[in-house]
Amino acid sequence: MSQLYEGKKGEKCLFMGNQAIARGALEAGVSVAAGYPGTPSSEIIENLAEVSKETNLYVEWSTNEKIAAEVAAAASFAGLRSMCVMKQNGVNVASDFLLHLVLSGTRGGMVLVPCDDPGALSSINEGEARHFAKLLEIPLLEPGDFQEAKDMMKWAFELSEEIRNLVMFRSVTRLSHASGSVELGEIPQTDPKAQFNYNGFILDPMEGPIVSAPVAYKHGLQQDKLKKAQELFEVSPFNTYVGPENPEILLITSSGATLYSREAIQLCNAKDKVGLLKLGTTFPLPAKLIEKHLKTTDKILVVEEVLPFMEENLKVLAQELAPRVGQKTFFGKRSGNIPITGELNPDLVATALAGILGQTYAPQNPEYTTKATQQAFFNAPTRDLTFCPGCPHRASFWSIHNVLAEDNREGFVCGDIGCYSMAFLPSGFSTLKTLHAMGSGTGVASGFGKLGQFGLNQPVVSVCGDSTFFHSGMPALVNAIHHKSDITMVILDNSGTGMTGFQSHPGLAVDAQGNEAPALDIPTICRAFGATVEICDPFYPFKTQQIFHRLLEMPGVKVLIMRQICALSPEKKRKKAFEMSVDKEICLGENCGCNKLCTRVFRCPGLRWDDETKVATIDEVICAGCGMCAAICPSGAITRKEAA
Amino acid sequence: MGTATLLKDPYNLIITGVGGQGNVLASRVLGNLLADKGFSITIGETFGASQRGGSVMSHMRISAEASWSPQIPQGKADMIVALEPVEALRVLHTYGHPGIKIISNTRSIYPVGVISGDQKYPSMDELKKTIEELSEKTWFIDATSAAMELGHPIFGNIMMVGALAKTGVLPIDRDSFEKVILRTMGKEKTPVNLKAFDMGAEMIN
Amino acid sequence: MKLFAQTQLLEDVQGKGLCVGCGACVDLCPYFTTYRGKTAMLFPCDRETGRCFAYCPKAEVDYDAVYQFRTGRPFQGTPIGPHIEVFKARAGEKQTECSFQCGGTVTALISCALDNKIINGAVLTGSDERMPKPMLVRTADQAQQCAGSKYSASPTLAVMNKEAKRGVRKMGIVATPCQATAIAQMKMNPTDKEDFEDPVSLVIGLFCTWALDARKLEALLEEKGIQGTIIKADVPPPPAEVFVVETDQGVTEIPLSEVRKIIPEGCSICPDMTSELADISVGQVEGETGYNTLIVRTEKGAELVKMARSQGYLVTENLDGDKVHNLAQASGNKKKRALAQAQEKGLLNTPDDAGRAAMRMSQDALNKIQP
């Protein structure tokens, strides 16, 4: 994406939100960017890593989000502008460090960019980072469109330097992963030098050592910084109002909900009745600005994603202002006008708005809707998530499932975050029985593995991806070994951070910027920890199952590395290892002895069931040629031939 | 601002398909092309987990004046480009109306529930009939087969762009397409994509 | 025979704890498997009929039909079942010495059948450490490696199914009574499979009062601190009331009361002590080591015994009348006990509205067994 760096001032570009954020950081003169991959945040670091080939910029995929924050903080301490980027869950991981950082303060501008995922489109929770801004007592900025995503980013760095503290810049999926027109600004051609000064007086924010003590003093300072930010927010150009002088309803919104709200007002033909106050600075709220607008109306609708964060802060403020602005009626999530969970869209906002205005919002012709609903119900089968064709996880879970079933001691698998999370679904043969945070599979397994003294005699297995292993799987494994827990940890090593698009990790010989890097060998690490380690290729299920059975019978901590490159990896993509075919004469189909094992149970998208001829077929368009279906076919009807 | 005008402002286009069919790329190419013409473009995309066998939808708002929400309101799509026919029907359900136009690929990709036998995939005739009933104008083209002739099913996405251009609902011309492809994909990949664009256009009559 | 499939099999057999791990349902398809002596279901199968259910000796066994098919007469309920002759037997001089349980009769007969190409291979049970390990052997030498009783339930029929799928025909099988029942059902081609070919041409049945759960036996031996490789296990005649385990490091006795706890539930409803559906049945002789009781049941069995005798594989003698009487009494008692158990559990001749039965037999036969 050379446009990201080479685009000239004044040029208009169609940028994805994450590109706009990256460009904003470049225009702010960012020197260091660190992150951990996570949808919808990953493209920010990816784009900056691309640019780092052209300019003096350091970009890394850190081992986890806490380390990303620490790496970025170091740059700030040395006087450089830096950012750390993560999805919302990452802030949970980083929060321990961040809670110290906000007390010690920063030097060069430092911005924390969490990308939230309202509606959990690519997440397994809807947690949001905004609450951390309050917890961390730092300013929170939320861009309302693509242009702002760029412009506010630059301002975020300035603000951070103004108050000498961390600033949170929060994006959401519908900004990060949407694209819009952005007018570019200048990228400064500066050459910042890093120097860490620590010889000054302990309380000197720019010259002394950087520590969080004395806490009482620093905490007071932190609150002062927040007040200063609030003053700047009062006059921020990112808080805008459009609408009549005295609107019937004041709609207060921020972030991605701004675009929905703007459209909803139009859908309701309510430009004359509804005023739109869009806040770019959502914590702490600009009290004077809010006071000015509260005076203009009695009814306030708050539109935001996900929880009523702004709504509650506004209500506290409105109560404080009540003697001057009078009692207001608030509509929003707490009143039930706006759904309290899930992501919003123009229709949901329009429905809420129409309701308060006493109108009805009917987006579709009811007759058409009825017909379309009926047709979709009967003729549009749902598309459940599944592992990709040729995915090694399907093969791995096939073996894990079968071995545990065969073993017949009610063994179970504890899982965590990655594509392999989907193994709780039928596509992964419903193998995962617990599913929590990054690295939690092995931590939870470590605990289960100590319950033998209370009579638990089920085999305990955990699964963990290669990137997750470095992120947080290692401490869990260490815990299990040190406490002599009885577990088998399966490391699903697909050579990259598969779910988010093959970002590098410490196990690979390349870093985010494409430089050669020392690769840390997972088996060697596990052996050094003291685990019994085996390695297998899940595309050879017989051998894999043999090894897994043997490990399950052994006491202590065993690690089985199931190694096979992700089917979508750039290395493999569009290259078939095998040409697959089905011998229709041999295929047992629905008969006793098979009953559609490949399509009914194995469920690879590259297979089809021909209902007329009652045999399985290969979908040439979809099949990735991994050969697994040949390995499982009970009659030998599916065969594989090395692809030319 | 370019000289081209829109049939409607904003013009709402949905490109839909299944993870891995390249509809994100198609929407970027189209978006860049129309942005080059001076239009204000907003594209909303759903991808990530959805890449894993799920439906993938791009909402494109094309306007001479303003930025619009990255999600099209219900019943407000003007044109659907479907890389997979059942996805056309799914989109119609939420975003359709009697005046909508549709270009749909005819090659099905079975959802995992159909492969496993838990659900049924309708016959192509049934599907075509249903889609026709729910729209003003439809074009069905076998882009995937044509793409296979070109060497890979992935070219289906660019064929659909070519087909969309030929319908004339949006100001998309071959030269601007070539410019965008050259810029975003490089010289090497331009000829095959141009060929795909032309083949797509030829399938519309 | 009432035909059902996996769903009902799981409900009736696994669900009620009746599975004895015989292996009849294993390796017919990808859904049933066996590991360390236990039968496991890997994935559900939604077929309405299946060989898994049809072959299972604990699910809807129609005794009249299966006896009619194998012996030409419905189930009569006689104590030792249909037979031609009863002998006392031991291995002859042609048979080399190895670790026989009693007289080496089974090994001698299998060797004779293999050497004379009456069978192409024999499915026998060897050992893998302390787990029974069924296998297909092709030579008399290999057969000798499997000599000796294992006492734990072995999924022998899994190997039969697997080898049959690979095209092996003319197999000989050494089977327990439940397995002989399953084989008999298999021979009937109950699911009317078009391309069905009977892969088994000889069944040598073993006398059996019960088998032991393989995993539980392994655990019990460990609990008792029994070291070394097991050479032999035996239950000496009453009033001993012990289970004797001989390893290369010595002999240990375990009280029978403890051993009874690890008998699979399914054995308690088994009415067959002498493998009545086999071609030949072999067991101990009361009070005599070094000999077996031999029951010849079919013409094919009689021919093999005759050949084994003439070629020096086997020596036979008359069995004393009182020993035959005692065998019949013990066998009759097992029938009585098992059917009473089955009745109590609602598993015998269960009326349609009350569900499915484990066994069905005529009232005449029942009256004979339980006068």
Side-chain angles (χ1 to χ4, degrees):
Chain A
M1 288 294 152
S2 58
Q3 220 182 353
L4 186 71
Y5 182 64
E6 280 163 14
K8 299 274 179 301
K9 186 179 175 181
E11 206 173 302
K12 266 195 164 178
C13 295
L14 180 64
F15 271 174
M16 194 190 195
N18 281 343
Q19 288 176 306
I21 291 169
R23 173 73 188 201
L26 290 172
E27 289 180 10
V30 72
S31 295
V32 171
Y36 184 82
T39 311
S41 72
S42 311
E43 295 81 5
I44 299 171
I45 291 290
E46 277 177 354
N47 275 289
L48 289 172
E50 212 36 52
V51 169
S52 74
K53 291 168 188 162
E54 301 174 53
T55 181
N56 190 20
L57 178 63
Y58 176 71
V59 184
E60 73 168 41
W61 284 122
S62 306
T63 306
N64 64 36
E65 294 87 349
K66 176 168 173 276
I67 294 167
E70 288 156 354
V71 165
S76 165
F77 297 161
L80 302 175
R81 287 191 168 182
S82 69
M83 67 196 289
C84 55
V85 184
M86 54 202 67
K87 75 181 286 170
Q88 85 274 11
N89 310 67
V91 185
N92 307 347
V93 177
S95 63
D96 191 18
F97 171 69
L98 295 176
L99 276 153
H100 290 84
L101 178 68
V102 293
L103 270 187
S104 78
T106 56
R107 285 181 189 167
M110 178 171 168
V111 182
L112 165 67
V113 184
C115 298
D116 287 4
D117 189 16
L121 301 168
S122 291
S123 309
I124 61 162
N125 66 41
E126 262 197 314
E128 51 174 309
R130 291 188 301 171
H131 299 272
F132 271 103
K134 205 167 179 177
L135 179 70
L136 293 164
E137 301 166 49
I138 55 169
L140 169 63
L141 306 183
E142 298 187 72
D145 62 25
F146 309 97
Q147 186 67 44
E148 283 192 358
K150 181 188 79 67
D151 296 346
M152 280 177 88
M153 193 63 205
K154 188 167 177 239
W155 185 56
F157 282 98
E158 289 160 11
L159 177 65
S160 168
E161 280 171 12
E162 187 85 28
I163 64 168
R164 298 288 169 211
N165 212 353
L166 183 68
V167 168
M168 182 187 286
F169 177 100
R170 180 226 192 199
S171 180
V172 293
T173 304
R174 296 293 182 190
L175 280 175
S176 281
H177 274 186
S179 305
S181 300
V182 176
E183 188 179 330
L184 306 186
E186 192 98 55
I187 295 181
Q189 295 304 318
T190 52
D191 191 14
K193 290 279 173 282
Q195 166 73 27
F196 178 43
N197 299 328
Y198 51 75
N199 286 324
F201 177 53
I202 190 152
L203 296 182
D204 184 330
M206 298 307 284
E207 299 294 331
I210 302 183
V211 294
S212 55
V215 173
Y217 169 76
K218 289 281 176 82
H219 198 179
L221 205 60
Q222 200 185 345
Q223 280 295 315
D224 291 345
K225 291 174 178 184
L226 210 50
K227 273 206 193 88
K228 189 166 175 188
Q230 191 179 22
E231 281 162 24
L232 293 166
F233 287 177
E234 297 288 2
V235 293
S236 163
F238 299 110
N239 300 323
T240 57
Y241 177 78
V242 182
E245 208 169 303
N246 288 295
E248 191 179 323
I249 297 169
L250 176 67
L251 193 161
I252 305 182
T253 188
S254 68
S255 188
T258 307
L259 294 165
Y260 307 146
S261 300
R262 210 182 280 162
E263 186 141 8
I265 293 170
Q266 187 169 7
L267 288 169
C268 293
N269 285 321
K271 274 188 176 154
D272 304 338
K273 298 179 193 163
V274 182
L276 180 70
L277 176 61
K278 191 235 52 151
L279 294 179
T281 68
T282 44
F283 183 81
L285 288 168
K288 289 184 195 115
L289 179 78
I290 302 290
E291 180 178 347
K292 189 181 100 189
H293 285 284
L294 289 187
K295 279 179 179 160
T296 64
T297 184
D298 289 330
K299 288 183 188 166
I300 292 128
L301 170 63
V302 187
V303 181
E304 64 188 312
E305 292 169 323
V306 178
L307 291 169
F309 174 80
M310 193 164 62
E311 181 179 330
E312 287 172 0
N313 291 338
L314 275 167
K315 282 176 175 169
V316 171
L317 189 60
Q319 189 55 39
E320 288 170 12
L321 297 172
R324 296 206 293 279
V325 303
Q327 196 64 41
K328 303 293 167 190
T329 306
F330 277 87
F331 300 91
K333 288 174 181 281
R334 297 192 58 96
S335 65
N337 296 73
I338 301 276
I340 197 149
T341 59
E343 73 162 341
L344 298 179
N345 58 41
D347 298 295
L348 286 169
V349 183
T351 305
L353 203 53
I356 304 164
L357 287 167
Q359 307 173 354
T360 41
Y361 171 67
Q364 276 172 303
N365 168 334
E367 206 178 304
Y368 182 90
T369 308
T370 311
K371 202 160 114 189
T373 305
Q374 241 169 23
Q375 290 296 352
F377 180 80
F378 290 113
N379 286 325
T382 55
R383 275 194 203 278
D384 295 331
L385 292 187
T386 179
F387 293 121
C388 303
C391 176
H393 292 329
R394 180 181 291 101
S396 294
F397 284 105
W398 178 263
S399 285
I400 294 171
H401 170 277
N402 286 8
V403 164
L404 287 175
E406 263 180 7
D407 181 80
N408 221 339
R409 288 180 287 163
E410 293 182 272
F412 57 91
V413 184
C414 304
D416 48 44
I417 307 299
C419 282
Y420 56 96
S421 299
M422 285 193 289
F424 79 92
L425 298 169
S427 297
F429 320 110
S430 309
T431 311
L432 287 194
K433 300 305 180 193
T434 75
L435 172 55
H436 300 90
M438 294 283 290
S440 289
T442 307
V444 169
S446 172
F448 272 122
K450 289 306 294 177
L451 300 182
Q453 72 186 84
F454 303 103
L456 186 122
N457 51 18
Q458 300 159 269
V460 180
V461 178
S462 74
V463 285
C464 178
D466 44 340
S467 189
T468 309
F469 175 77
F470 291 106
H471 179 283
S472 45
M474 278 168 48
L477 177 61
V478 166
N479 191 70
I481 291 169
H482 180 66
H483 294 101
K484 296 184 185 172
S485 186
D486 284 320
I487 67 165
T488 308
M489 178 188 195
V490 177
I491 298 177
L492 302 163
D493 182 355
N494 60 2
S495 299
T497 317
M499 182 114 211
T500 47
F502 302 96
Q503 294 79 8
S504 60
H505 64 59
L508 302 179
V510 64
D511 66 14
Q513 294 177 258
N515 300 317
E516 214 177 285
L520 281 75
D521 187 52
I522 296 175
T524 306
I525 293 170
C526 297
R527 283 192 192 106
F529 284 171
T532 303
V533 179
E534 295 276 0
I535 304 166
C536 64
D537 179 348
F539 283 167
Y540 292 88
F542 181 74
K543 182 90 187 146
T544 296
Q545 291 175 25
Q546 249 184 349
I547 298 172
F548 190 34
H549 263 310
R550 199 176 66 230
L551 292 180
L552 273 190
E553 297 287 341
M554 289 166 56
V557 177
K558 294 86 59 179
V559 172
L560 176 55
I561 297 164
M562 296 196 184
R563 188 179 278 166
Q564 177 60 246
I565 301 172
C566 172
L568 297 181
S569 78
E571 223 170 305
K572 235 189 201 182
K573 208 174 179 182
R574 298 185 195 172
K575 265 184 249 152
K576 291 185 182 185
F578 300 104
E579 291 295 340
M580 308 302 300
S581 60
V582 181
D583 188 328
K584 291 180 168 47
E585 299 301 311
I586 301 177
C587 175
L588 286 173
E590 293 171 318
N591 289 323
C592 183
C594 179
N595 193 16
K596 307 191 279 182
L597 179 75
C598 61
T599 55
R600 190 178 62 88
V601 182
F602 190 64
R603 299 171 170 226
C604 176
L607 294 159
R608 280 185 171 212
W609 171 250
D610 186 332
D611 215 18
E612 271 164 36
T613 56
K614 304 282 179 201
V615 291
T617 59
I618 305 290
D619 187 335
E620 294 297 339
V621 174
I622 307 293
C623 173
C626 71
M628 253 310 272
C629 53
I632 65 153
C633 175
S635 62
I638 308 182
T639 50
R640 58 192 213 183
K641 201 180 81 197
E642 301 248 348
Chain B
M1 196 69 36
T3 48
T5 52
L6 295 169
L7 296 172
K8 193 177 147 285
D9 198 328
Y11 193 86
N12 297 328
L13 172 73
I14 294 180
I15 303 178
T16 187
V18 180
Q21 283 195 298
N23 81 347
V24 170
L25 182 95
S27 73
R28 298 272 168 85
V29 167
L30 268 176
N32 275 308
L33 189 157
L34 291 162
D36 284 353
K37 292 191 177 292
F39 292 111
S40 176
I41 307 294
T42 308
I43 309 173
E45 278 155 348
T46 316
F47 60 89
S50 48
Q51 190 168 4
R52 279 66 180 160
S55 309
V56 181
M57 231 195 322
S58 298
H59 286 198
M60 193 179 303
R61 321 291 303 270
I62 304 144
S63 172
E65 309 141 15
S67 281
W68 294 83
S69 135
Q71 292 198 70
I72 294 171
Q74 283 176 34
K76 296 281 189 291
D78 298 303
M79 176 88 191
I80 298 173
V81 174
L83 296 165
E84 206 279 351
V86 145
E87 294 313 308
L89 179 55
R90 204 188 311 285
V91 168
L92 276 172
H93 170 225
T94 311
Y95 302 98
H97 55 90
I100 198 165
K101 295 185 174 69
I102 294 173
I103 307 175
S104 177
N105 189 3
T106 51
R107 177 57 153 85
S108 56
I109 293 179
Y110 283 179
V112 66
V114 171
I115 292 168
S116 68
D118 299 333
Q119 296 188 71
K120 238 184 109 56
Y121 197 97
S123 75
M124 204 47 66
D125 289 344
E126 206 174 338
L127 204 46
K128 279 182 181 174
K129 195 172 138 255
T130 302
I131 292 170
E132 274 162 4
E133 275 175 20
L134 290 168
S135 47
E136 185 192 280
K137 172 93 183 119
T138 55
W139 294 269
F140 291 99
I141 64 175
D142 188 357
T144 302
S145 297
M148 296 284 269
E149 280 171 36
L150 259 191
H152 200 281
I154 194 72
F155 296 118
N157 62 351
I158 295 299
M159 293 196 180
M160 299 301 284
V161 172
L164 176 68
K166 183 71 186 298
T167 64
V169 299
L170 282 165
I172 307 164
D173 58 279
R174 195 177 187 273
D175 289 347
S176 342
F177 172 78
E178 185 174 0
K179 241 195 286 175
V180 171
I181 290 290
L182 200 60
R183 190 172 73 218
T184 53
M185 294 194 215
K187 217 169 176 176
E188 207 179 307
K189 291 181 179 166
T190 301
V192 67
N193 280 293
L194 269 177
K195 174 89 183 128
F197 182 93
D198 293 340
M199 284 169 80
E202 276 162 29
M203 284 188 267
I204 297 291
N205 35 44
Chain C
M1 186 184 294
K2 297 192 177 191
L3 282 183
F4 292 97
Q6 191 202 57
T7 317
Q8 295 76 22
L9 187 64
L10 288 172
E11 206 177 299
D12 296 358
V13 181
Q14 302 269 7
K16 291 178 184 166
L18 297 179
C19 180
V20 288
C22 72
C25 61
V26 173
D27 264 331
L28 293 164
C29 68
Y31 305 113
F32 280 108
T33 178
T34 179
Y35 180 71
R36 290 172 52 77
K38 263 201 167 0
T39 302
M41 188 271 281
L42 294 186
F43 292 102
C45 168
D46 57 2
R47 282 183 50 83
E48 283 173 11
T49 63
R51 288 171 294 167
C52 53
F53 189 96
Y55 294 179
C56 179
K58 303 290 168 190
E60 285 288 355
V61 181
D62 184 339
Y63 273 74
D64 281 339
V66 77
Y67 273 70
Q68 179 78 46
F69 180 82
R70 276 290 274 164
T71 68
R73 290 180 70 189
F75 182 59
Q76 302 293 309
T78 54
I80 62 167
H83 61 275
I84 299 169
E85 283 173 295
V86 182
F87 296 112
K88 180 164 102 167
R90 63 173 172 81
E93 70 273 14
K94 186 146 185 193
Q95 191 65 39
T96 34
E97 266 305 308
C98 62
S99 176
F100 300 133
Q101 189 75 11
C102 307
T105 304
V106 172
T107 310
L109 288 170
I110 289 292
S111 299
C112 174
L114 281 169
D115 289 346
N116 287 283
K117 306 218 172 346
I118 293 168
I119 55 175
N120 285 335
V123 182
L124 308 174
T125 301
S127 294
D128 180 7
E129 294 186 355
R130 288 180 174 180
M131 279 292 152
K133 191 188 179 202
M135 58 182 96
L136 179 76
V137 304
R138 298 285 193 172
T139 66
D141 281 352
Q142 291 169 341
Q144 287 188 11
Q145 303 295 315
C146 296
S149 173
K150 304 302 175 294
Y151 269 92
S152 46
S154 165
T156 314
L157 302 188
V159 173
M160 172 188 83
N161 290 334
K162 191 170 151 196
E163 299 297 341
K165 202 158 67 180
R166 287 162 53 168
V168 179
R169 297 291 176 266
K170 283 178 74 181
M171 279 186 272
I173 296 184
V174 176
T176 54
C178 51
Q179 289 167 338
T181 308
I183 295 167
Q185 295 191 97
M186 177 271 290
K187 284 173 175 287
M188 293 169 73
N189 188 21
T191 57
D192 296 325
K193 225 172 157 303
E194 278 170 35
D195 55 351
F196 176 78
E197 275 180 69
D198 181 358
V200 176
S201 49
L202 175 70
V203 181
I204 299 182
L206 301 171
F207 290 8
C208 178
T209 41
W210 38 256
L212 298 175
D213 181 298
R215 288 192 193 182
K216 288 180 183 161
L217 177 59
E218 188 189 40
L220 181 66
L221 297 179
E222 192 168 321
E223 186 191 313
K224 295 285 169 190
I226 296 172
Q227 309 272 327
T229 310
I230 294 170
I231 297 166
K232 200 169 159 181
D234 199 9
V235 179
E241 277 293 300
V242 287
F243 183 68
V244 183
V245 183
E246 185 189 338
T247 72
D248 54 2
Q249 303 188 11
V251 177
T252 315
E253 292 187 353
I254 304 173
L256 260 190
S257 59
E258 284 182 50
V259 173
R260 285 210 174 89
K261 287 181 194 156
I262 61 167
I263 299 171
E265 183 81 15
C267 290
S268 72
I269 61 157
C270 173
D272 186 359
M273 193 182 94
T274 59
S275 289
E276 296 176 15
L277 293 162
D279 293 301
I280 301 166
S281 302
V282 181
Q284 291 182 332
V285 181
E286 180 197 344
E288 276 183 68
T289 50
Y291 276 98
N292 291 105
T293 302
L294 175 74
I295 305 175
V296 181
R297 298 188 184 276
T298 63
E299 289 301 330
K300 194 187 275 172
E303 269 170 46
L304 177 63
V305 170
K306 200 169 134 197
M307 183 187 283
R309 218 162 22 203
S310 69
Q311 294 181 4
Y313 287 94
L314 195 70
V315 176
T316 61
E317 295 170 31
N318 280 335
L319 186 64
D320 295 346
D322 56 338
K323 289 195 171 154
V324 177
H325 175 81
N326 288 350
L327 175 67
Q329 190 155 34
S331 186
N333 282 341
K334 185 179 177 188
K335 275 199 171 59
K336 222 179 279 179
R337 236 177 12 242
L339 294 178
Q341 273 277 341
Q343 247 159 351
E344 197 186 304
K345 291 180 174 169
L347 298 170
L348 179 63
N349 293 342
T350 316
D352 282 346
D353 56 3
R356 291 173 297 269
M359 305 176 270
R360 295 192 187 272
M361 53 189 66
S362 67
Q363 197 55 48
D364 279 359
L366 265 178
N367 291 342
K368 233 178 262 172
I369 297 163
Q370 303 170 309

